[in-house]
Amino acid sequence: MSILVKNTTVITQNKNRELLKNTDVLVENNTISKIGNVSEKADHTIDGKNRILMPGLINAHTHTAASILRGFGDDMNLEEWLEKSIWPAEAKLTPKYTYWASLLSMAEMIKTGTTCFNDMYFYADSIAKATKEAGMRAILGEVLFDFFKEETKQQELNKAKKAIDSIIAMNDLRTRAAISPHAIYSCAPELLVAGKKIAVKNNTIFHIHVSETKKEVDDCVKKHKLRPIEYLENLGVLGENVVFAHACYLSKNEIDIVKKHEAKIAHCPTSNMKLATGGVIDWP
Ligand SMILES: [Zn+2]
């Protein structure tokens, strides 16, 4: 199949980040085959006048199916919002719910230029099915919590392994599985370490919320005499495949640790504004 976008403005990501005006782009069998003045006919032609054509945006931290809970539990801080509002609602989730709710989010993402997302949510296999149907790219992790209960830890690890196996079995080149423990205040260290081993074994991303609020940092210092990133480094879970969501309250030493391990940070300004988390990373 071929698609021709005629007479558009192309925002490239080449070395010089060139802007190409009045340009045609031909896509053949999912590959850009010509850029410039294209005279060939295509199966589909799109008039690109007064539009821009650019690489898709990537959302580095999502809870895709949670979009349907927007506005639920407003005017609360993170802890109250999670415990009184979001977690009780999410406990009623079903695979069918996450499938339809994530499709809604994907429609919104496609409409606004996002083509890839890094997700942490329940029923990752249902979200994978929706992702394939939407034609998006995604890294999907089953969200893991054990709330420091030994018996729950193994259940959570089994869920993670099942989600990874079903995503791999889909054999969709655009979808990858990840390991997504929720946070240091909801996951025991044993769960984090075991999750990291699964991530390494499957050569995938280890995606976790960290230092989203000052309370999280204060509680961690009180409990472990370490700040969250220092605590995670001590557990041996850091590495270049680690994605930290939020990271609002990092010390200079923690920023150095993130750099040393080449871990990544997903900055979440909209979420931080909604929950008035009050912190922002102090870039060196
Ligand atoms: Zn999050």
Side-chain angles (χ1 to χ4, degrees):
M1 196 188 75
S2 57
I3 301 169
L4 177 61
V5 183
K6 290 288 288 179
N7 193 25
T8 195
T9 299
V10 182
I11 298 176
T12 71
Q13 289 297 308
N14 65 16
K15 219 163 67 183
N16 301 321
R17 298 207 164 182
E18 283 173 287
L19 194 68
L20 310 174
K21 293 193 172 174
N22 305 320
T23 299
D24 306 333
V25 176
L26 180 65
V27 179
E28 292 177 298
N29 300 322
N30 293 327
T31 302
I32 295 173
S33 57
K34 275 188 184 166
I35 301 176
N37 194 352
V38 179
S39 53
E40 283 100 321
K41 293 267 179 267
D43 298 329
H44 297 282
T45 301
I46 297 167
D47 180 9
K49 197 177 169 196
N50 297 326
R51 294 168 187 267
I52 57 169
L53 186 65
M54 58 182 271
L57 300 170
I58 298 170
N59 190 332
H61 179 65
T62 56
H63 305 291
T64 332
S67 57
I68 213 163
L69 298 174
R70 264 186 212 131
F72 198 61
D74 270 341
D75 302 322
M76 294 177 174
N77 63 31
L78 175 72
E79 294 77 21
E80 197 185 3
W81 180 72
L82 286 174
E83 288 164 18
K84 292 190 179 165
S85 175
I86 294 299
W87 284 340
E90 288 179 335
K92 296 174 187 161
L93 289 176
T94 63
K96 194 174 165 190
Y97 167 98
T98 54
Y99 167 79
W100 286 107
S102 59
L103 268 184
L104 167 67
S105 297
M106 288 179 220
E108 291 173 346
M109 285 194 265
I110 292 167
K111 199 175 171 192
T112 50
T114 296
T115 56
C116 179
F117 59 99
N118 180 32
D119 199 55
M120 173 196 289
Y121 213 57
F122 304 88
Y123 305 112
D125 48 349
S126 297
I127 297 172
K129 185 170 170 268
T131 305
K132 190 173 182 180
E133 288 173 20
M136 291 194 73
R137 285 195 300 141
I139 299 122
L140 306 172
E142 183 79 26
V143 63
L144 309 177
F145 317 78
D146 63 0
F147 294 105
F148 304 89
K149 290 185 189 131
E150 176 60 29
E151 64 277 17
T152 314
K153 183 188 87 176
Q154 199 49 50
Q155 284 171 19
E156 292 298 285
L157 289 170
N158 291 345
K159 273 198 315 196
K161 285 180 197 159
K162 187 172 159 267
I164 288 176
D165 289 346
S166 67
I167 290 168
I168 291 172
M170 274 176 46
N171 199 24
D172 177 15
L173 291 176
R174 287 190 291 254
T175 308
R176 286 179 56 197
I179 285 288
S180 303
H182 177 259
I184 60 168
Y185 55 84
S186 50
C187 297
E190 295 80 10
L191 177 61
L192 299 175
V193 171
K196 172 70 180 183
K197 279 186 190 156
I198 298 172
V200 170
K201 189 178 160 206
N202 289 279
N203 189 27
T204 192
I205 283 173
F206 181 92
H207 177 197
I208 184 168
H209 297 102
V210 82
S211 296
E212 183 172 353
T213 63
K214 189 166 181 302
K215 183 180 185 315
E216 178 187 334
V217 178
D218 291 345
D219 288 350
C220 185
V221 170
K222 208 167 154 189
K223 194 169 169 187
H224 305 289
K225 309 240 175 325
L226 294 167
R227 294 175 68 88
I229 300 279
E230 296 165 348
Y231 167 68
L232 289 167
E233 186 187 39
N234 248 21
L235 292 180
V237 302
L238 298 198
E240 60 177 1
N241 282 2
V242 172
V243 176
F244 292 125
H246 300 280
C248 301
Y249 289 91
L250 264 53
S251 67
K252 173 79 175 67
N253 184 47
E254 288 178 294
I255 293 171
D256 289 344
I257 293 171
V258 170
K259 185 170 187 298
K260 183 172 84 185
H261 292 277
E262 295 186 40
K264 315 297 184 291
I265 289 175
H267 182 41
C268 309
T270 312
S271 164
N272 297 341
M273 281 192 285
K274 181 213 159 38
L275 291 161
T277 48
V280 67
I281 191 167
D282 183 16
W283 294 103

